[in-house]
Amino acid sequence: MEEVIRVLVVDDSAYVRKVIKQMLSRSPFIEVIGTARDGREALDCVAELQPDVVTLDLIMPNMNGVEFLREQMQRRPLPVIIVSIASESGETALEALDAGAVEFVQKPTALATEKVFEISDELIQKVKAAAQIKLSNLPTNTNNRITSPLVSKVSSGAVDIVVMGISTGGPQALSFLIPQLPEDFPIPVAVVLHMPVGYTEMYARRLNDISPLKVVEAKEKDPVTAGTVLIAPAGRHLSFIRQPDGSVLTHLDARPFDTLHRPSVDVLFQSAAEVFGDRVLGVVMTGMGSDGKQGSAWIKSHGGLIFTEAEESCVVYGMPRAVEEAGLSDKAIPLNQITTAIMGVL
């Protein structure tokens, strides 16, 4: 029988605390064992109640969410899901991920209205996933990491693009991996990272600051060129269009509407296979669910390569597991060896 997940809800709004408790209580496998009004009170509650998962607001008096995270992770690491508003706390949310938060859910509004209930299903799903997370696999302090980019070599032309799909644990894993790619990396990289709307541009800027490569949030009709990492914008699928002169441009679209995620790894991978044929390397990394499995099948059917992150380094072994179990992975690789493996097939 599934064990009940014990959750502490931290938010300075009494209304939001009540609503989150109501939402989580819809699941028979989740019990809200306490609430806290700020980070300082949350530290005491964690010590006393020993929750399995914490949901955390970021903007709070006395001690904010990031301060709580930094202190709590030193005391006893545990899975923390940010529940906040992008417009008010975007940079703070990225700091929270650096400090050890594993997921975030975007509040639809700062106001005490019924709209808050819209996040109910997503929050329940992410709390269940967070309870299974391997926190020891979460790369930390990636912004301060001194990385040693690999030495490049002239591309043999076997691969013309690297496409990556990643979710839970993704911001930290990419902040570890991308800075290791050399400045003269000979092909483009495109990434779908499951993030709420409002975060991908800021995240791309931060990743650009610590990487030899140019990292940008993809815009419509961006050229797909060597040495550039394109991050799909939250809320839009990223695909490719080959021009009559042979160059390739990005295309952003809300369609298809029937995907679980937007952007979708499957949409990116399928487009890469259709435009670049057998010269595609797809990399599926940590994350829950199975986004990327169908896209990996497209890449394989066109003769391309698929790498998956090995279970031993995944924060959540969901997306890579789905690809692996479908027999679509050419190689399962721990996070700290993925860049070397990518360089090995160029």
Side-chain angles (χ1 to χ4, degrees):
M1 182 172 168
E2 200 170 335
E3 285 190 19
V4 173
I5 301 162
R6 304 166 75 252
V7 178
L8 173 70
V9 175
V10 184
D11 199 294
D12 63 337
S13 161
Y15 176 78
V16 172
R17 291 196 301 273
K18 183 179 85 169
V19 166
I20 290 179
K21 184 172 182 177
Q22 285 177 351
M23 285 192 283
L24 292 176
S25 298
R26 287 176 45 214
S27 169
F29 303 110
I30 298 174
E31 179 189 0
V32 176
I33 56 168
T35 61
R37 292 166 293 185
D38 59 51
R40 201 161 298 288
E41 189 177 342
L43 288 172
D44 294 337
C45 288
V46 170
E48 180 188 346
L49 301 172
Q50 300 287 302
D52 301 312
V53 177
V54 172
T55 71
L56 179 68
D57 188 21
L58 289 177
I59 312 300
M60 298 181 292
N62 300 322
M63 177 183 271
N64 68 27
V66 174
E67 292 166 337
F68 161 78
L69 270 164
R70 288 178 180 148
E71 177 63 31
Q72 182 58 50
M73 290 305 175
Q74 286 187 337
R75 294 185 185 186
R76 178 176 78 89
L78 81 168
V80 175
I81 299 171
I82 301 159
V83 183
S84 198
I85 305 160
S87 58
E88 288 187 8
S89 55
E91 289 289 351
T92 313
L94 296 182
E95 286 178 29
L97 288 169
D98 288 339
V102 294
E103 264 288 8
F104 48 102
V105 175
Q106 195 169 353
K107 285 181 192 170
T109 173
L111 306 173
T113 70
E114 294 288 310
K115 275 185 76 69
V116 177
F117 282 97
E118 292 174 7
I119 64 172
S120 180
D121 290 344
E122 182 187 5
L123 188 58
I124 287 171
Q125 180 193 36
K126 288 189 173 177
V127 165
K128 286 181 174 180
Q132 310 299 321
I133 273 172
K134 297 179 188 171
L135 274 181
S136 58
N137 285 352
L138 196 71
T140 54
N141 298 319
T142 46
N143 272 11
N144 303 322
R145 187 184 304 279
I146 298 171
T147 55
S148 301
L150 298 171
V151 177
S152 185
K153 62 179 183 181
V154 178
S155 174
S156 65
V159 175
D160 285 346
I161 190 167
V162 177
V163 286
M164 296 181 171
I166 194 164
S167 187
T168 312
Q172 299 90 339
L174 288 176
S175 294
F176 173 85
L177 187 153
I178 298 296
Q180 295 178 48
L181 296 173
E183 191 174 359
D184 59 348
F185 192 70
I187 58 174
V189 179
V191 181
V192 160
L193 167 66
H194 296 153
M195 264 186 167
V197 172
Y199 292 99
T200 42
E201 185 177 8
M202 282 180 288
Y203 178 72
R205 281 203 306 268
R206 295 188 93 191
L207 196 52
N208 183 65
D209 289 342
I210 60 171
S211 303
L213 295 178
K214 178 184 176 185
V215 183
V216 295
E217 183 190 55
K219 304 286 190 290
E220 176 69 13
K221 293 188 177 175
D222 273 350
V224 180
T225 55
T228 300
V229 179
L230 298 160
I231 307 283
R236 288 287 182 272
H237 295 300
L238 174 60
S239 58
F240 307 110
I241 298 172
R242 191 175 289 280
Q243 301 300 295
D245 64 1
S247 64
V248 178
L249 303 180
T250 58
H251 175 56
L252 304 178
D253 204 326
R255 296 164 297 178
F257 299 117
D258 59 350
T259 58
L260 188 59
H261 301 281
R262 190 184 301 130
S264 160
V265 181
D266 287 332
V267 171
L268 173 68
F269 280 24
Q270 179 176 340
S271 179
E274 290 171 345
V275 172
F276 293 93
D278 62 355
R279 305 165 78 82
V280 178
L281 169 61
V283 184
V284 180
M285 297 173 64
T286 178
M288 63 181 179
S290 61
D291 191 18
K293 182 177 81 168
Q294 189 180 345
S296 294
W298 274 89
I299 290 175
K300 292 293 289 181
S301 70
H302 283 72
L305 281 169
I306 295 292
F307 291 167
T308 48
E309 183 178 353
E311 182 175 8
E312 66 198 66
S313 69
C314 282
V315 175
V316 178
Y317 187 55
M319 287 161 52
R321 181 202 293 273
V323 175
E324 185 83 34
E325 290 182 349
L328 298 167
S329 175
D330 291 291
K331 191 183 289 187
I333 309 160
L335 175 62
N336 63 4
Q337 296 172 30
I338 290 176
T339 42
T340 305
I342 290 171
M343 298 299 294
V345 298
L346 295 186

